[in-house]
Amino acid sequence: MTIAKAAAAFAALLIAMLIVGCGSNPNEHVQSNEFFRPAATQDSQQQSATDAPSEQDQEQATDQTEEADQEQQAEADQGTQAQESSQQETADEQPDEDQDEQATPARDAPLDTSDDIVRRYTNPSYGYSFELICSPFCDPNSNGIDRVSFLSETGRALIGVDVHEDDGSDSETLLRSSLTLPDNVEFSSIEPTTTVTGEAAERFNWDEDRRATGGFQVRWHVLLIRIQDIAIILRAGAVLEDYEAVAPALERAVSSFILPLEITAQPGRYDRFGFLIRYDTADVSQEFGQPTSNPPSAEAGIFVLQSTTALKAVLTWQVLGEAFYDGDTAIQQSLRDSLGIENVTGQRDWGEIDGQPARTGETETQFGEGVMKIRSFAWYCREGGREFSLHVLDPDDPESVALPLIESFRCTADGEDDAEEAAGDE
């Protein structure tokens, strides 16, 4: 096994360790007000766009309703009251008293529901959100930052959002480069449209045939929104054989996409919890809590970078009294807890990181016939009272890979902005 292959395989193992336990992470990404969609009835076809599309309503139910927990049932009961109120208002506008009585259900009548549930995913960095229907999209959690994706239960349908820097090119060129589309992909249609909140957008539709290379024929719908120097790309697609069954869920995500009034995040800049680190936008960025079953917070978290082929860097932080901080201990514990690796050697002083004294250490891990090198750093920020540890992986020279990350780090994001303004004034 070559070093490159060993690095890639090792990275896959480490990513799996990080992701384990996060599949049902009850974090801030998902709104807690889950609700049942009404079953298909004549009344439900007359409800507003916030209700499910009629095609989806006509799908056959499963037995998931009996497995819903008490909180979901409470939300369903609230839906009953809202439905009763809506039907009463409609009945008041009708002159026929008999129709009045038929349109108003008994107050103690059971709620007629379908078996699927709608959840709204909200990206905590960029603030956009959209709705996912279960089934088929029953895991609405993602640890992604610039890139999130949700697979269906079968793994043959996908909904995701990518955020890129807007390079100023035309929309088709931007979309092709951002999604690395093959040259043989031809768009069946490109339609101007708007989001629910009124932003101008473009919708691209196409079928992509990868059967010649062992893949599938997939039907894609993509919404491209260019705003505030960034490009937001919502992609929804499914294997063509499964498309009709999941089309309502795909359309629900596209039609329910909402942007916040202002987007403060930027690709390549992570500053959600008061500190700042910049990264290459070509890398995939993710965030986890400590432990990984928890959401990240200002008190503790893990920031992960992965290149196209391997795990690249892991940054951990936690609130800690300065009297209890020890750089060597921070390196050893965070390396063990986040990556499951022991035996750090060569620990010594290593300059400063944002003006704070740092310690460093090295690890070489044998994997197959190759060796993965890891360079670790630890430092303490008095602003916020947090210790930080950075672990960078590279088969050749991890320190050179770490330097851009270290140079960009700031204990407070506001301090970095002040430094930029001062440099500009000079």
Side-chain angles (χ1 to χ4, degrees):
M1 180 183 290
T2 65
I3 290 179
K5 289 181 179 178
F10 184 65
L13 174 63
L14 298 181
I15 282 293
M17 293 173 61
L18 281 170
I19 293 176
V20 67
C22 295
S24 59
N25 186 7
N27 59 26
E28 64 192 314
H29 300 72
V30 183
Q31 290 183 2
S32 60
N33 55 335
E34 300 174 359
F35 56 92
F36 288 98
R37 292 193 306 123
T41 63
Q42 292 182 353
D43 290 339
S44 67
Q45 295 175 3
Q46 299 174 1
Q47 292 175 348
S48 66
T50 57
D51 289 332
S54 59
E55 292 180 5
Q56 180 69 12
D57 287 341
Q58 294 169 359
E59 292 183 357
Q60 294 205 355
T62 64
D63 295 329
Q64 295 178 356
T65 301
E66 296 179 358
E67 300 174 359
D69 59 25
Q70 294 180 355
E71 179 182 353
Q72 294 169 347
Q73 188 59 51
E75 293 294 338
D77 292 339
Q78 293 177 3
T80 305
Q81 296 175 3
Q83 186 181 37
E84 291 172 358
S85 176
S86 174
Q87 291 173 335
Q88 182 63 55
E89 291 175 2
T90 303
D92 291 341
E93 296 175 359
Q94 296 176 348
D96 193 328
E97 292 182 0
D98 292 335
Q99 291 179 353
D100 262 0
E101 295 177 359
Q102 295 174 2
T104 306
R107 186 170 296 275
D108 57 352
L111 177 65
D112 188 16
T113 66
S114 67
D115 294 310
D116 49 5
I117 301 170
V118 178
R119 296 180 177 94
R120 177 169 287 275
Y121 164 82
T122 301
N123 184 276
S125 293
Y126 294 97
Y128 64 77
S129 67
F130 55 92
E131 291 178 349
L132 294 167
I133 296 178
C134 172
S135 162
F137 297 96
C138 294
D139 185 359
N141 299 283
S142 173
N143 297 98
I145 299 174
D146 302 322
R147 183 180 304 172
V148 302
S149 59
F150 305 95
L151 280 174
S152 66
E153 295 169 304
T154 63
R156 291 163 59 92
L158 178 142
I159 295 172
V161 178
D162 300 313
V163 181
H164 297 269
E165 296 174 312
D166 191 341
D167 61 8
S169 61
D170 64 88
S171 296
E172 183 173 338
T173 300
L174 175 62
L175 187 68
R176 287 184 178 276
S177 63
S178 298
L179 299 182
T180 60
L181 296 179
D183 294 335
N184 62 349
V185 167
E186 296 184 1
F187 301 119
S188 57
S189 64
I190 303 175
E191 309 160 359
T193 184
T194 58
T195 66
V196 176
T197 44
E199 291 84 8
E202 293 174 276
R203 175 165 172 161
F204 293 75
N205 306 294
W206 74 91
D207 287 354
E208 185 175 345
D209 193 345
R210 296 192 175 184
R211 290 174 293 182
T213 58
F216 299 93
Q217 191 172 8
V218 181
R219 177 158 294 172
W220 287 102
H221 305 288
V222 167
L223 196 67
L224 171 62
I225 307 155
R226 307 176 76 162
I227 185 171
Q228 297 179 206
D229 297 325
I230 62 175
I232 301 176
I233 301 171
L234 183 150
R235 50 202 166 91
V239 174
L240 197 57
E241 296 174 356
D242 301 351
Y243 178 77
E244 291 300 327
V246 299
L250 300 179
E251 288 296 330
R252 180 64 170 257
V254 174
S255 63
S256 66
F257 188 82
I258 294 177
L259 283 171
L261 294 176
E262 182 181 7
I263 298 174
T264 57
Q266 299 174 11
R269 174 187 171 115
Y270 186 73
D271 62 351
R272 198 158 80 87
F273 298 110
F275 64 88
L276 167 70
I277 189 168
R278 294 186 180 275
Y279 57 94
D280 189 341
T281 55
D283 295 332
V284 176
S285 56
Q286 294 179 293
E287 58 183 3
F288 300 84
Q290 292 195 54
T292 55
S293 58
N294 291 337
S297 68
E299 286 68 38
I302 305 174
F303 173 72
V304 177
L305 289 177
Q306 186 179 11
S307 70
T308 55
T309 58
L311 181 65
K312 181 175 181 178
V314 176
L315 175 72
T316 72
W317 67 93
Q318 66 173 341
V319 171
L320 185 72
E322 185 173 6
F324 299 98
Y325 166 73
D326 178 81
D328 293 352
T329 301
I331 289 174
Q332 293 168 355
Q333 290 184 345
S334 62
L335 190 61
R336 181 188 65 236
D337 294 345
S338 62
L339 298 178
I341 298 175
E342 307 271 2
N343 304 322
V344 180
T345 62
Q347 290 178 293
R348 62 188 184 276
D349 290 336
W350 190 91
E352 294 183 344
I353 299 178
D354 192 23
Q356 310 303 314
R359 293 282 289 175
T360 188
E362 301 171 349
T363 303
E364 286 191 356
T365 301
Q366 191 75 25
F367 190 81
E369 298 177 1
V371 174
M372 172 64 70
K373 297 180 180 179
I374 304 175
R375 175 60 70 90
S376 301
F377 306 84
W379 64 99
Y380 188 84
C381 288
R382 290 183 176 87
E383 300 90 340
R386 294 180 286 197
E387 73 171 20
F388 290 85
S389 298
L390 175 66
H391 310 286
V392 179
L393 300 86
D394 189 80
D396 300 316
D397 186 7
E399 184 171 0
S400 64
V401 177
L403 286 177
L405 298 170
I406 289 173
E407 292 170 354
S408 73
F409 181 87
R410 297 293 180 271
C411 287
T412 63
D414 292 339
E416 189 269 351
D417 293 337
D418 294 340
E420 285 186 347
E421 292 179 3
D425 293 339
E426 294 177 1

